[in-house]
């Protein structure tokens, strides 16, 4: 919006318009204060009191403004009605959002006769925004030529000063139009003008000066409709009837109810003024003569001179100006505390927004970029070492570790010390000696699955997953319950796969249980030149290799999940340290460098995991103590279950005999022992009259123990009777089962430690290895072009720069307004 800031100064003997010296000094100070506040431009930030003059076209607004301001406005070209005139404040075309400033259009004018021509040229500059304003200010061109625009949101700003002048801030808005001429104008001009008027009068501190011409029916004038819409109770509207001398004959009494406030009542009443006619203007009468003619008209013309004395104060321009000054100054005094509070709140809010913006560009970009890189690397090191809190990197990886260990543990072979044909309904209880042996945390699969999905979304790991040798079956969909071993099992590759025999297929059936007769059959077929009763180690090895084959997929899945968490956390750290720097170019480059660095770390970790898997293909351990201990425990575990199956009757008799106490006349005695064979005999019960009955013959285990004692074989325990039983033909298979199960227990613990340790070394800790050197080299911050590169990286986003500039200017306006308020002296 081009604007002309013109000063018109003229020595007069009496006050013209607002130059009336009768205004009280406190009121003058109030009006001066609001003008100074408007001069700061703060009205775009807070609601400042002002007067908006509205009305339909040809409603007499221009004449009213002339009588108030004491200057002549252009009429010849009709252009003044095409834009608003804001006395003291204007918005400049092309200015940034929220930015207000006055642009001087020419030098100060000391002759009022020159003001009209200057305003015409300023209007032309507004309506032709593509042309330099200097052409309209100094050129001799015909300024009445067709314009680029019909209307503009910009305005001409006039600043009038002189002796005893207390300027009144008001805005003469464009006249509302009902139709657009076919020869000129645009279809949206009606809405544009109405929107411009609405933008002013909707503010609570805007006093609406509603001009209504008496030469047109009241109902046909749309300005009243808008005023009623935004001030329905009429508290801040002052009505002005213009052109009373043009009322059709006999209709004068239709307008008197407005003056009496009987029709469309307003808190500040309706006024009626008469401005100079066209002939008076051509005669160039003075303002004193115009006011005198106005007085004569209302004093001598009915029905105005017939009004009651109480209503005479609502006639004449000077009474309207007095009322405007009074209402505006009272509103200013009422709004002062609120304005101060709004300023304070706005300043705090602007400062908060400024502090939330990225730091402004540094004068030393190389040093700033270097500091950011060092801070990022230090923070990365801290997260790799471990930080408190549930969302830390190590805390996110730990459930994956527990899940991996549990999966590897569950691959142990499920040996059953029963023949398959007799296994129906039989259940082998888990060994009690393993309780507490495996300290694996309980993983909530649903929580872990959600965390993994979130991490994948954050990391955007599509590209990263392409580099991962994904197994045939992955854990993309995290199950809510325990994961069976079969879901982790990968199909053997063509290079290492061997033909599966019928027996091996049978072993995998029935929920993966392997029965003792199947183990015995495999062992028997593996014999070559061994002596009778001996079996080659290859039997144990085949079982161990079958188990180790199942470890590949869980290991690679664990590696992939750790990579996902690493990508997500490093992305967060990069955003934390670089998101507010420049236009985001540094953040983008650092993220790409770190992402590629993680890829390299992943490859090294993958090679290390595959190396560990390759080592496990060959059974080996020097942990003989634990292997032997576990073998003895599993051997006893399988034999006990086997004996209960095959020798259940004998076993129960021996156990009952051992636990059965002997009974005598003196009471219960100790159970039978090898050193007390007589204790195995029951006491002879007494018959009638105390005569002993015939002794019962021992039976079962007692009879066997008694017979051995009679034969002179002493020191035999009941448990030793197992030795005389025929040997179990499946005992070699039981030994193989114990061997394999003991080795798997030792190997699983070793493997479930080695893989996470390799991943931690190569991937988790590997990400911080040489990362600073890599960043500096790839970014070029340490080379000969570092100054240029860092300057490019530090360039601020135009959007952020514009926002910062707007906020700084807004803060300046708010602070300037605060200073003006502090300097008021009432």
């Amino acid at each position: 919006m081009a604007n002309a800031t013109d000063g018109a100064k003229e020595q007069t003997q009496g006050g013209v318009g607002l130059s009336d010296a009768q205004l009280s000094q406190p009121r003058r100070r109030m009006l001066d204060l609001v003008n100074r506040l408007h001069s700061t431009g703060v009205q775009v930030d807070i609601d400042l009191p002002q007067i908006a003059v509205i009305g339909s076209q040809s409603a007499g607004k221009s004449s009213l403004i002339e009588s108030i301001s004491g200057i002549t406005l252009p009429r010849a070209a009709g252009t003044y009605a095409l834009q608003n005139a804001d006395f003291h404040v204007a918005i400049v075309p092309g200015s940034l959002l929220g930015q207000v400033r006055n642009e001087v259009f020419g030098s100060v004018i000391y002759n009022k006769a020159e003001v009209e021509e200057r305003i015409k040229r300023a209007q032309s500059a507004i309506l032709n925004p593509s042309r330099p304003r200097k052409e309209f200010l100094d050129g001799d061109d015909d300024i009445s030529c067709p314009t680029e625009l019909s209307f503009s949101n910009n305005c001409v700003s006039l600043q009038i000063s002189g002796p005893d002048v207390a300027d009144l801030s008001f805005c003469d808005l464009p006249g509302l139009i009902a139709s657009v001429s076919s020869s000129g104008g645009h279809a949206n001009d009606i809405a544009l003008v109405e929107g411009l008027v609405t933008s002013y009068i909707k503010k609570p501190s805007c006093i609406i000066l509603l001009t209504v011409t008496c030469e047109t029916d009241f109902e046909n004038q749309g300005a009243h409709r808008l005023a009623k819409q935004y001030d329905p109770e009429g508290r801040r509207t002052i009505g002005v009837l213009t052109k009373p001398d043009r009322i059709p004959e006999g209709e004068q009494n239709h307008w008197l109810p407005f003056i009496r406030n009987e029709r469309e009542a307003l808190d500040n009443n309706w006024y009626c003024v008469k401005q100079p006619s066209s002939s008076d203007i051509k005669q160039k009468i003075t303002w004193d003569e115009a006011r005198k003619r106005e007085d004569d008209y209302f004093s001598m013309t009915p029905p105005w001179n017939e009004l009651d004395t109480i209503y005479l104060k609502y006639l004449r321009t000077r009474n309207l100006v007095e009322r405007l000054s009074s209402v505006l100054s009272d509103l200013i005094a009422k709004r002062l505390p609120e304005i101060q509070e709004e300023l304070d709140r706005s300043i705090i809010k602007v400062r908060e927004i400024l502090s939330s913006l990225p730091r402004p560009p540094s004068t030393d970009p190389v040093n700033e970029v270097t500091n950011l890189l060092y801070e990022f690397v230090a923070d990365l090191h801290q997260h790799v070492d471990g930080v408190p809190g549930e969302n830390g990197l190590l805390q996110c990886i730990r459930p994956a570790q527990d899940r991996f260990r549990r999966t590897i543990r569950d691959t142990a072979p499920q040996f059953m010390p029963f023949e398959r044909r007799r296994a129906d309904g039989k259940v082998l209880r888990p060994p009690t000696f393993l309780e507490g042996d495996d300290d694996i945390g309980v993983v909530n699969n649903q929580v872990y699955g959600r965390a993994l999905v979130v991490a994948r979304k954050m990391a955007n790991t599509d590209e990263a997953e392409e580099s991962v040798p994904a197994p045939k079956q992955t854990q993309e969909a995290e199950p809510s319950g325990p994961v069976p071993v079969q879901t982790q099992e990968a199909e053997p590759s063509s290079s290492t796969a061997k033909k599966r025999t019928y027996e091996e297929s049978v072993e995998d059936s029935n929920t993966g249980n392997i029965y003792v007769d199947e183990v015995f059959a495999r062992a028997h077929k593996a014999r070559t030149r061994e002596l009778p009763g001996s079996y080659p180690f290859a039997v144990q090895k085949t079982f161990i290799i079958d188990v180790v084959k199942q470890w590949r997929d869980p290991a690679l899945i664990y590696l992939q999940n750790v990579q996902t968490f690493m990508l997500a956390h490093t992305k967060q750290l990069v955003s934390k340290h670089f998101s507010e720097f420049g236009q985001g170019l540094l953040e983008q480059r650092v993220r790409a460098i770190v992402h590629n660095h993680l890829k390299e770390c992943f490859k090294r970790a993958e090679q290390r995991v595959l190396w560990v898997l390759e080592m496990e293909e060959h059974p080996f351990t020097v942990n003989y103590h634990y292997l032997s201990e576990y073998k003895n425990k599993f051997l006893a575990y399988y034999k006990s279950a086997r004996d209960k199956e095959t020798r259940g009757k004998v076993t129960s008799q021996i156990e009952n005999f051992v636990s059965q106490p002997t009974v005598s006349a003196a009471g219960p005695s100790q159970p039978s022992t090898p050193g007390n064979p007589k204790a195995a005999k029951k006491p002879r019960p007494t018959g009638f009259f105390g005569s002993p009955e015939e002794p019962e013959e021992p039976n079962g285990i007692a009879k066997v123990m008694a017979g051995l004692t009679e034969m002179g074989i002493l020191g035999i325990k009941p448990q030793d009777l197992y030795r005389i039983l025929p040997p179990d033909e499946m005992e070699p298979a039981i030994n193989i089962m114990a061997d394999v199960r003991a080795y798997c227990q030792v190997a699983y613990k070793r493997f479930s430690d080695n893989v996470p340790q390799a991943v931690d070394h190569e991937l988790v800790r590997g990400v911080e290895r040489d990362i600073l050197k890599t960043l500096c080299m790839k970014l070029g911050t340490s080379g000969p072009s570092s100054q240029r590169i860092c300057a490019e990286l530090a360039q601020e986003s135009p959007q952020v720069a514009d926002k910062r500039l707007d906020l700084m200017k807004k803060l300046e306006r708010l602070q300037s307004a605060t200073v003006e308020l502090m300097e008021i002296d009432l």
Side-chain angles (χ1 to χ4, degrees):
M1 160 194 321
N3 56 9
T5 302
D6 305 319
K9 181 176 180 181
E10 181 182 46
Q11 298 290 341
T12 59
Q13 294 180 354
V16 177
L18 297 180
S19 300
D20 189 355
Q22 300 300 320
L23 294 177
S24 64
Q25 290 301 317
R27 185 181 299 176
R28 289 179 181 276
R29 286 195 290 269
M30 283 293 182
L31 299 177
D32 287 340
L33 172 62
V34 78
N35 288 336
R36 293 197 303 272
L37 291 177
H38 274 280
S39 67
T40 65
V42 77
Q43 71 274 7
V44 299
D45 307 310
I46 63 174
D47 185 15
L48 285 182
Q50 68 173 347
I51 300 172
V53 186
I54 70 171
S56 301
Q57 277 189 322
S58 303
K61 295 189 299 82
S62 297
S63 298
L64 179 61
I65 295 300
E66 287 177 340
S67 65
I68 293 177
S69 63
I71 62 172
T72 302
L73 299 177
R75 282 180 173 78
T79 57
Y80 183 74
L82 298 180
Q83 63 252 319
N84 53 318
D86 191 355
F87 287 68
H88 292 290
V89 180
I91 303 177
V92 182
S95 60
L96 299 176
L97 181 62
Q99 182 178 350
V100 175
R101 61 188 174 94
N102 287 331
E103 183 174 311
V104 176
F105 190 77
S107 58
V108 176
I109 298 175
Y110 295 94
N111 184 0
K112 283 200 302 183
E114 300 176 3
V115 175
E116 182 179 0
E117 178 67 19
R118 183 72 62 83
I119 293 176
K120 286 182 181 180
R121 294 181 177 275
Q123 291 170 344
S124 297
I126 288 176
L127 299 178
N128 294 276
S130 65
R131 296 172 59 182
R133 294 167 196 157
K134 189 173 179 60
E135 292 182 9
F136 299 95
L137 181 62
D138 301 331
D140 297 329
D141 299 345
D142 183 8
I143 60 176
S144 63
C145 61
T147 59
E148 300 173 11
L149 303 175
S150 298
F151 289 89
S152 174
N153 287 327
N154 303 324
C155 66
V156 175
S157 174
L158 303 177
Q159 189 175 48
I160 306 167
S161 60
D164 299 323
V165 172
D167 293 12
L168 183 63
S169 291
F170 60 91
C171 180
D172 180 23
L173 297 171
L176 296 172
I177 55 178
S179 61
V180 179
S181 173
S182 59
S183 60
H186 300 281
N188 64 341
D189 286 347
I190 297 176
L192 189 150
V193 173
E194 185 170 326
L196 179 61
V197 172
T198 299
S199 67
Y200 279 82
I201 66 175
K202 69 180 181 180
K203 298 178 181 178
S205 296
C206 178
I207 299 172
I208 304 173
L209 186 59
L210 173 63
T211 58
V212 176
T213 176
C214 295
E215 64 178 345
T216 305
D217 290 342
F218 179 82
E219 291 77 9
N220 295 333
Q221 304 187 48
H224 174 261
R225 174 183 57 81
L226 283 180
K228 192 77 173 178
Q229 180 180 351
Y230 293 98
D231 184 27
E233 298 180 0
R235 293 183 176 178
R236 53 187 180 91
T237 301
I238 300 177
V240 181
L241 303 179
T242 64
K243 304 181 181 180
D245 53 327
R246 297 187 183 182
I247 300 176
E249 187 66 28
E251 296 182 5
Q252 290 86 347
N253 290 331
H254 294 338
W255 298 98
L256 293 182
F258 288 96
I259 301 300
R260 298 191 188 102
N261 215 24
E262 297 171 350
R263 183 179 178 187
E264 300 295 338
L266 302 173
D267 283 6
N268 293 292
N269 220 86
W270 286 83
Y271 288 78
C272 185
V273 299
K274 180 187 179 302
Q275 305 305 335
S277 63
S278 299
S279 60
D280 293 337
I281 295 174
K282 291 180 180 180
Q283 296 175 9
K284 297 184 179 181
I285 64 174
T286 64
W287 292 110
D288 288 339
E289 293 174 347
R291 296 287 73 79
K292 184 177 183 303
R293 293 185 183 187
E294 182 185 35
D295 289 339
D296 293 342
Y297 175 81
F298 285 115
S299 300
M300 301 171 60
T301 307
W304 310 108
N305 60 351
E306 298 172 357
L307 284 170
D308 293 340
T309 307
I310 190 175
Y311 299 115
L312 296 180
K313 61 182 178 181
Y314 300 122
L315 305 177
R316 300 175 177 81
T317 303
R318 63 173 177 270
N319 292 330
L320 172 62
V321 173
E322 173 69 19
R323 186 58 179 166
L324 285 173
S325 300
S326 174
V327 172
L328 183 59
S329 61
D330 292 344
L331 179 60
I332 295 170
K334 179 182 178 181
R335 282 276 294 152
L336 275 182
E338 299 174 1
I339 291 174
Q340 184 63 64
E341 292 179 0
E342 290 180 22
L343 288 173
D344 293 340
R345 288 195 301 268
S346 299
I347 289 175
I348 293 174
K349 184 176 181 179
V350 170
R351 286 175 175 169
E352 289 177 351
I353 299 176
L354 277 173
S355 63
S356 67
L357 292 178
R359 289 174 295 182
S362 173
T363 56
D364 186 6
V366 175
N367 185 52
E368 186 169 2
V369 171
T370 303
N371 289 338
L372 286 175
L373 293 177
Y374 273 98
E375 291 173 1
F376 166 72
V377 172
D379 200 8
L380 178 63
H381 173 75
Q382 186 177 1
H383 277 74
V384 168
D385 271 354
V387 294
E390 60 180 359
N391 295 323
L393 174 61
L394 301 186
Q395 288 84 341
C396 292
I397 293 177
R398 188 170 296 120
Q401 293 174 345
D402 293 337
R403 189 182 179 89
F404 167 71
R405 292 183 60 198
R406 185 179 297 275
T407 302
I408 299 302
R409 185 194 64 183
D410 292 342
T411 61
Q414 304 298 319
F415 288 121
M416 302 290 287
F418 319 121
E419 286 87 353
R420 177 178 289 276
R421 65 180 182 277
R422 300 176 182 176
D424 293 341
K426 290 184 173 60
V427 177
L428 184 63
R429 293 184 178 181
T432 57
F433 57 84
L434 290 182
E435 294 178 1
D437 187 68
D438 299 323
D439 185 16
I440 301 178
V442 178
V443 180
N444 187 319
N445 291 319
Q446 292 181 346
V447 175
Y448 173 72
R450 287 194 296 268
L452 190 59
V453 169
V454 171
R456 284 172 179 165
K457 290 181 179 179
M458 291 174 56
N460 192 17
T461 55
D462 294 339
E463 181 182 355
E465 289 177 356
E466 292 178 0
S467 63
V468 180
K472 295 293 181 181
Q473 296 181 358
T474 63
Q475 296 174 343
E476 288 296 329
E478 298 297 332
S480 58
V483 181
V485 174
Q486 288 81 355
T487 61
Q488 299 283 347
E489 187 173 349
E491 297 179 2
S493 61
S494 57
S495 59
T496 58
K498 61 184 182 66
K499 294 183 179 180
R500 301 174 63 83
T501 64
Y502 171 76
E503 290 81 5
E504 290 171 335
S505 300
V506 171
E507 291 169 6
D508 288 340
S509 63
N510 195 12
T511 67
N513 292 335
I514 305 174
Y515 294 89
V516 65
D517 54 336
E518 297 166 350
V519 175
F520 184 78
R522 180 185 289 195
H524 184 72
K525 292 180 179 180
R527 294 182 70 251
T528 55
R529 298 178 181 274
E530 289 79 8
L531 296 175
S534 300
Y535 298 91
F537 176 71
V539 181
Q540 287 92 325
K541 186 175 181 180
T542 57
F543 283 112
I544 293 173
I545 291 177
D546 287 343
V547 172
V548 172
K549 286 179 181 178
Q550 303 177 57
W551 292 356
R552 178 185 176 88
D553 282 2
L556 295 180
I557 290 173
Y558 167 71
L559 173 62
Q560 179 177 330
N561 291 343
V562 174
Q563 168 81 338
T564 299
F565 288 116
M566 289 295 296
L567 287 170
H569 276 73
T570 53
K571 183 176 180 180
Q572 283 183 325
L573 289 179
V574 170
S575 178
K576 171 185 174 182
H577 288 274
F578 303 101
S579 61
E580 296 183 354
F581 185 82
Q583 302 184 44
L585 183 59
L586 179 60
E587 178 188 7
Q588 180 183 357
R589 291 186 180 178
V590 170
R591 184 186 296 120
I593 294 171
V594 173
H595 184 81
N596 291 331
H597 185 65
L598 269 172
K599 280 186 176 180
E600 297 299 323
C601 295
F602 178 87
K603 291 179 181 178
R604 291 194 295 270
E606 182 185 29
Q607 293 174 358
R608 187 61 60 91
V609 170
L610 294 176
W611 177 76
V612 173
L613 281 166
E614 185 179 356
M615 285 198 307
E616 292 295 342
E617 293 177 359
H618 306 280
F620 174 82
T621 183
V622 293
N623 198 350
Y624 306 125
H625 172 72
Y626 282 108
L627 181 65
S628 176
E629 183 179 350
Y630 277 124
K631 179 180 178 180
N632 292 335
K633 290 180 179 180
F634 277 109
L635 186 61
Y637 169 68
Y638 289 136
K639 279 188 175 182
S640 175
R642 174 74 179 169
D643 288 343
K644 289 181 180 180
E645 168 66 19
T646 59
R647 304 170 180 178
K649 186 174 181 180
V650 176
T651 301
S652 61
Q653 289 183 4
I654 293 176
E655 291 178 352
N656 291 336
F657 178 77
V658 172
S659 61
Q660 180 180 4
T662 59
V663 181
S664 65
S669 63
Q670 296 295 327
S672 61
T673 62
N676 187 18
K678 295 182 180 181
K681 298 180 180 180
K682 295 183 179 179
R684 288 165 40 179
T686 57
F688 293 105
F689 308 107
S691 60
E693 295 182 353
E694 291 296 327
E696 293 182 1
E697 291 294 331
N699 54 29
I701 300 300
K703 186 175 182 180
V704 172
M705 296 297 293
L708 291 174
T709 302
E710 291 177 0
M711 293 172 61
I713 302 175
L714 304 178
I716 300 298
K717 299 179 182 179
Q719 294 86 345
D720 294 335
L721 298 179
Y722 288 115
R723 300 177 183 176
I724 64 175
L725 297 176
D728 185 1
E729 63 176 348
M730 296 295 175
E731 185 171 353
I734 296 294
N735 277 282
I736 293 174
M737 291 162 53
D739 279 338
V740 174
R741 190 62 183 84
Y743 179 82
C744 288
Q745 187 68 16
V746 174
Y748 123 76
K749 289 189 174 184
R750 175 181 64 207
F751 184 75
S752 62
D753 271 346
N754 288 342
V755 169
Q757 186 177 22
V759 173
D760 182 74
H761 178 76
E762 296 294 348
L763 181 58
V764 181
R765 292 190 176 277
V767 71
E768 64 170 338
R769 202 172 298 130
D770 296 330
I771 184 62
L772 181 60
K773 179 181 177 181
T774 302
L775 286 170
C776 292
M777 181 179 65
K778 295 292 181 64
L779 289 173
T781 57
S782 57
S785 303
S786 59
Q787 187 68 35
R788 176 185 58 81
I789 293 174
C790 292
E792 293 176 356
L793 295 174
Q795 285 183 354
E796 191 173 34
S797 165
Q799 294 82 2
V800 175
D802 291 346
K803 186 175 183 180
R804 188 193 311 279
L805 181 60
D806 289 343
L807 291 172
M808 293 298 295
K809 289 185 175 297
K810 181 176 181 179
L811 183 61
E812 182 181 356
R813 293 194 301 268
L814 295 171
Q815 291 174 338
S816 298
T818 302
V819 172
E820 294 291 346
L821 282 180
M822 294 177 63
E823 293 179 354
I824 185 172
D825 182 19
L826 300 180

